[in-house]
Amino acid sequence: MTHNIHLIAAARPNFMKIAPLYHALQGQDWCNVSIIHTGQHYDANMSDDIFADLMLPEPHFHLGVGGGTHATQVGKVMMAYEEICLDIERPDLLIVVGDVNSTAACAQVATKLHIKVAHLEAGLRSGDRLMPEEINRLVTDAICDYLWTPSPDADENLRNEGHPDSRIIRVGNIMMDSFELLSSKINSENAPAKYGLENQDYGVVTLHRPSNVDDPALLKTLIDGLVENSKKIKLIFAVHPRTKNNLEKNNLWNDIQGLDDLILIEPISYVPFMSLVKSAKLIITDSGGIQEETTYLDIPCLTLRDNTERPITITEGTNKLVKPHELSGNVDDVLAENWVHGTKPKNWDGHTADRIRDIIKDLFKI
Ligand code: UD1
């Protein structure tokens, strides 16, 4: 008997989480795995290029929801995914990843149709309910049948919320599987040279959190900080569409054009991006995934946020939460080699997808 498994892919950070799973499941004679792209991210450089890098096929179903307010996006995803489950292909297991709007939306659709749902990257908590992702994490974990976690802090958060141990399984960090899967391509990419950068002689910047980029005054402070620090070490800034829109709206975009030391680029695909990260001296970011990737690669990561749902990247890794006015001092510290090296957390080993495949076989009694 073949079991239908759905993998939900919605936004950029999801793609590197579903790819290793797809590759581990595809070709197994006991399952039929389908990728459902909700279309939350739709630009080629936020979606198609990354699919290609990760050797993923065209999505089996594309919901094409696009942007919009949270309610619009969640509503559209729920309606479209419900139609797939009811009329086209009912899965025996839905796997949702991460914390984006589509994660919570699809989990709700499936649980109400009595379809079993697993959440990969369960249990992460920033404790900050002003973050839309925190609401998505809470909602998703509350209703999922299986909670697959990356780290002990996640297990503990779930237990504290009353989830029984039987539902919680520590599987490790799936992002590291993607990195290992593509490591030879990443190693031969040499992205820094394409931007005129030399190994260890530049920093990489990404910023897209509403809490950083939606407030014009804070956005200006952050941009001023980047310009100031770029005089100490060249910075390459991959500008997310939300950030670019806000920079343009607040007349800041023109101010940062043509600077020699602050190189602005469009979002780039997974392989060139990881090639840039791998050889960087430091990273400045508010991303979730990059906090983990830098811990894995032992690269200093200055996270411009008040909190993180990934505390293990601080306690064991190379991450540090930094307030905007602390950025300059922290950049100085890194340049003076005054930073703490980390260790790779347990089970961040490139084999998470294999462990999950075995867990699913057990669930289906294969
Ligand atoms: C979403 C996720 C966030 C994740 C981020 C990664 C939620 C609540 N947020 O936030 O967790 O870290 O993706 O990038 O699910 N846009 C484009 N092209 C695209 C995608 C978006 O132009 O391919 C535009 C949208 O129209 C919108 C803005 O960028 O104006 C923000 O996009 P949106 O997906 O709403 O939220 P993100 O900030 O990307």
Side-chain angles (χ1 to χ4, degrees), residues 12-20 50 54 174-175 178 270:
R12 184 173 59 179
N14 298 156
F15 306 147
M16 32 298 236
K17 293 171 192 160
I18 65 144
I50 306 179
L54 294 164
I174 192 87
M175 300 263 291
S178 273
Y270 180 74

Side-chain angles (χ1 to χ4, degrees), residues 16 29 35 57 73 86 111 122 160 203 218 287 307-309 336 357:
M16 32 298 236
D29 58 6
I35 297 175
Q73 216 168 41
L86 288 177
T111 21
N160 290 342
L218 178 55
S287 149
N307 48 55
T308 178
E309 61 288 337
R357 183 184 51 218

Side-chain angles (χ1 to χ4, degrees), residues 40-280:
Q40 202 180 320
H41 282 176
Y42 43 85
D43 285 354
N45 58 10
M46 298 288 283
S47 178
D48 305 5
D49 299 350
I50 306 179
F51 258 62
D53 264 10
L54 294 164
M55 300 178 290
L56 288 170
E58 286 279 304
H60 303 79
F61 302 102
H62 206 303
L63 310 184
V65 300
T69 65
H70 288 273
T72 307
Q73 216 168 41
V74 169
K76 280 185 178 170
V77 171
M78 287 184 76
M79 287 163 71
Y81 184 56
E82 187 181 53
E83 209 172 300
I84 305 263
C85 293
L86 288 177
D87 300 338
I88 306 176
E89 184 180 275
R90 182 184 165 96
D92 301 293
L93 175 68
L94 166 67
I95 303 177
V96 294
V97 300
D99 54 19
V100 303
N101 284 340
S102 304
T103 307
C106 293
Q108 283 190 70
V109 168
T111 21
K112 286 182 177 166
L113 294 174
H114 303 175
I115 293 164
K116 295 285 183 201
V117 188
H119 183 206
L120 173 54
E121 206 185 77
L124 298 185
R125 299 287 181 270
S126 66
D128 176 1
R129 291 197 180 194
L130 295 176
M131 266 184 105
E133 293 81 2
E134 184 75 352
I135 307 302
N136 292 334
R137 292 179 202 117
L138 287 161
V139 167
T140 306
D141 287 342
I143 58 177
C144 278
D145 300 277
Y146 310 113
L147 300 168
W148 294 338
T149 67
S151 48
D153 55 281
D155 301 1
E156 204 179 311
N157 291 333
L158 293 169
R159 281 193 209 105
N160 290 342
E161 288 170 16
H163 294 282
D165 278 345
S166 57
R167 220 179 279 163
I168 306 167
I169 305 185
R170 176 113 47 86
V171 294
N173 192 322
I174 192 87
M175 300 263 291
M176 308 313 143
D177 290 33
S178 273
F179 185 81
E180 291 304 331
L181 194 71
L182 292 166
S183 64
S184 61
K185 281 194 190 168
I186 293 167
N187 287 335
S188 52
E189 175 80 9
N190 203 5
K194 291 186 185 149
Y195 299 103
L197 298 168
E198 298 200 16
N199 282 357
Q200 293 293 306
D201 211 12
Y202 64 92
V204 176
V205 181
T206 80
L207 290 175
H208 75 282
R209 294 275 159 219
S211 57
N212 275 333
V213 305
D214 286 3
D215 172 36
L218 178 55
L219 183 59
K220 175 151 178 34
T221 303
L222 291 172
I223 291 297
D224 289 346
L226 294 180
V227 173
E228 179 197 334
N229 283 287
S230 71
K231 292 174 187 146
K232 303 175 200 161
I233 180 160
K234 276 193 186 204
L235 296 176
I236 181 161
F237 182 8
V239 188
H240 185 280
R242 170 189 286 279
T243 310
K244 185 169 181 206
N245 288 343
N246 286 334
L247 287 169
E248 285 175 339
K249 216 164 61 190
N250 294 293
N251 300 320
L252 294 166
W253 184 242
N254 285 338
D255 296 354
I256 50 172
Q257 299 304 305
L259 302 177
D260 285 343
D261 298 325
L262 181 63
I263 303 163
L264 303 178
I265 59 171
E266 303 248 314
I268 53 173
S269 190
Y270 180 74
V271 168
F273 186 73
M274 289 317 298
S275 165
L276 272 182
V277 167
K278 201 174 127 297
S279 299

